[in-house]
Amino acid sequence: MSDDESKATSGPECKSWMSLICGWIYKEEPGLPEEGIAPGTAWDDVPENWTCPECGSRKEDFEMITI
C-alpha cells in the first residue's frame, strides 16, 4: 500500500462526545445514521439544533472524552 492509500483509508482521528446530563456518547466514526448524521461526521458538523436522543440535551451540554 502506498502512503497516499494509507492516508486515504486511515482518515483523521475520530472523537467521542458525552452528554454531561445523561452520559450518552456520540461517536464520530459510526455517526448516527438513524438521525441523518452520516458515519464519520465530525462533532463540529453535527447540526447546532441537534439534541441528545436520550435526554434532549443540546450540543453545548456535551464534552469531548477519550475512550
Side-chain angles (χ1 to χ4, degrees):
M1 182 181 320
S2 72
D3 285 340
D4 289 337
E5 288 173 324
S6 177
K7 288 176 188 173
T9 56
S10 64
E13 181 181 328
C14 289
K15 298 180 173 88
S16 299
W17 299 79
M18 184 179 73
S19 167
L20 298 173
I21 307 299
C22 72
W24 185 84
I25 297 173
Y26 170 76
K27 297 176 182 174
E28 293 179 347
E29 187 173 357
L32 203 55
E34 61 274 15
E35 293 204 13
I37 302 172
T41 299
W43 181 247
D44 288 341
D45 296 330
V46 171
E48 287 301 318
N49 63 349
W50 176 84
T51 58
C52 175
E54 292 292 318
C55 70
S57 61
R58 298 177 297 189
K59 280 183 67 177
E60 64 194 38
D61 296 319
F62 279 71
E63 182 175 275
M64 188 173 65
I65 61 169
T66 302
I67 296 179

